[in-house]
Amino acid sequence: MKVSLSALLLLAVGSASAFVAPSASFSRPVAVAPAMSMSAAPVEATPFAKGERVVMDDLPVVYVYDHCPFCVRVRIALGVKNIKHTVQFMANDDVPTPTKLVGKKIAPIFEIPSDNFIMSESLDIIAKIDSEDRFGPTGAILPATGRSDIKAWQKSVQELLRTLQRPRYVATGLLPEFQQLDGRHAFIKNHQLPPYEKKEWKGDGTDENPGMPMDEKLALYAEAMARDPTPMIEDLNAKLIELDDLVYSEHHCSEGGFSLDDIDLWARLRSITVVKGVQWPEKLRAYMQNLSELGDVPLYDEMAL
């Protein structure tokens, strides 16, 4: 894979000229790599039916990082519930904003200004908006079904996805939390690349284990971005075929309807769309597109590297 010098400099020295303003067009459906055939016949399933638009006088606010799957959980839940809201993207190095809101650096954070109410933890936020009448019909999102098969699949691709996704997050130049050098460096400082473990990468605050030097971390991210990704993408393509067999339909991953299973799975799969050249099985690709539109959360297709 050939990577432009500007992209590598973006990682290593944070050249501001390599960034452009986030493009509104990246939410449009685009052509993707040819779909692989499915091993199972498609299942007829009913799409989720959205309720009426919920527009409060003082819009709720969700504070997020765009790449964060826990943040995406809340965003897609708000979209599915058809709740108009304000999305406040925080810089990745922004400590004061979340600390003032909830006492520590964390995301997502949900605020209802009219109530002077603030909370964190994605699943708690979703539980709140799906249990109060003012946010539309309650119980719209079904409970999780305990899909241990999907959890096992997620664990099996964890290192592969970290290697592919993490360098691309900071190299696109488009994610709002990484618009400045400090934000990119904060992410690289705290997010290890395989095969390194978190403690080895970050250290533990002691003189004996201060963590890896920042220059070395930057070099490893740049090397990961410059490396030919073909073998890893081929492995990922094979794993997506496995997942396609586990997904019930193109509208929801578990039998019975749209549930917290989908909230979690889709939020994690979205980041794969930042990787260029991935071949999605037909059903799984339709699932990604359908839930993107349903939840009003764009995929990364047009910025994929």
Side-chain angles (χ1 to χ4, degrees):
M1 174 184 178
K2 293 184 179 179
V3 180
S4 67
L5 178 60
S6 62
L8 295 180
L9 288 177
L10 184 63
L11 289 166
V13 299
S15 172
S17 64
F19 275 95
V20 296
S23 168
S25 67
F26 80 110
S27 63
R28 297 195 312 264
V30 299
V32 295
M36 294 180 172
S37 61
M38 296 180 295
S39 60
V43 173
E44 292 292 334
T46 303
F48 183 91
K50 273 190 178 184
E52 294 183 3
R53 187 70 160 160
V54 177
V55 183
M56 304 173 73
D57 291 337
D58 206 354
L59 296 181
V61 182
V62 59
Y63 297 82
V64 299
Y65 308 122
D66 190 80
H67 74 279
C68 166
F70 305 106
C71 300
V72 176
R73 283 177 176 177
V74 175
R75 292 173 63 193
I76 192 172
L78 287 165
V80 166
K81 294 276 294 181
N82 210 8
I83 302 167
K84 186 173 177 60
H85 59 284
T86 298
V87 181
Q88 183 67 51
F89 293 107
M90 298 183 290
N92 201 253
D93 64 315
D94 181 357
V95 177
T97 297
T99 301
K100 288 176 183 178
L101 290 167
V102 294
K104 59 182 176 179
K105 185 181 186 298
I106 192 173
I109 298 169
F110 184 62
E111 179 181 18
I112 306 175
S114 59
D115 293 2
N116 195 26
F117 176 85
I118 300 172
M119 69 183 302
S120 58
E121 300 298 336
S122 61
L123 296 181
D124 292 341
I125 296 168
I126 294 168
K128 181 175 182 63
I129 65 173
D130 201 29
S131 62
E132 298 185 11
D133 292 336
R134 59 177 169 167
F135 295 117
T138 60
I141 301 170
L142 298 175
T145 64
R147 291 293 301 272
S148 59
D149 53 349
I150 289 180
K151 292 297 183 185
W153 183 90
Q154 291 173 345
K155 186 174 182 179
S156 75
V157 297
Q158 184 179 71
E159 289 199 359
L160 177 62
L161 294 184
R162 284 178 177 175
T163 304
L164 286 168
Q165 291 168 182
R166 286 181 172 179
R168 284 165 174 78
Y169 289 151
V170 293
T172 63
L174 292 172
L175 300 191
E177 58 264 42
F178 302 131
Q179 287 292 296
Q180 294 183 310
L181 179 65
D182 291 340
R184 300 193 294 275
H185 279 199
F187 181 84
I188 293 170
K189 178 181 179 181
N190 294 314
H191 292 81
Q192 76 276 12
L193 293 177
Y196 298 98
E197 297 294 333
K198 181 181 291 187
K199 188 174 181 179
E200 184 180 8
W201 187 272
K202 293 181 62 175
D204 58 12
T206 66
D207 292 339
E208 293 77 17
N209 183 20
M212 186 182 295
M214 189 63 186
D215 287 348
E216 188 174 346
K217 294 176 182 178
L218 291 170
L220 288 169
Y221 263 70
E223 290 168 7
M225 205 53 226
R227 190 180 306 127
D228 181 4
T230 301
M232 289 185 290
I233 290 176
E234 289 176 349
D235 289 344
L236 179 55
N237 290 341
K239 296 298 293 186
L240 290 175
I241 293 174
E242 292 180 14
L243 180 61
D244 191 76
D245 288 339
L246 302 179
V247 169
Y248 180 75
S249 78
E250 65 180 57
H251 298 294
H252 45 86
C253 68
S254 300
E255 189 172 2
F258 184 86
S259 70
L260 286 174
D261 295 347
D262 297 292
I263 294 283
D264 182 69
L265 177 62
W266 191 90
R268 296 176 188 275
L269 293 179
R270 174 182 182 247
S271 288
I272 296 177
T273 63
V274 81
V275 183
K276 189 175 182 178
V278 173
Q279 292 182 315
W280 292 83
E282 183 179 353
K283 178 175 58 176
L284 194 56
R285 178 63 205 188
Y287 175 80
M288 296 304 297
Q289 192 64 47
N290 289 339
L291 268 62
S292 174
E293 295 171 3
L294 177 68
D296 196 17
V297 180
L299 300 171
Y300 290 137
D301 294 316
E302 290 191 12
M303 66 172 72
L305 297 173

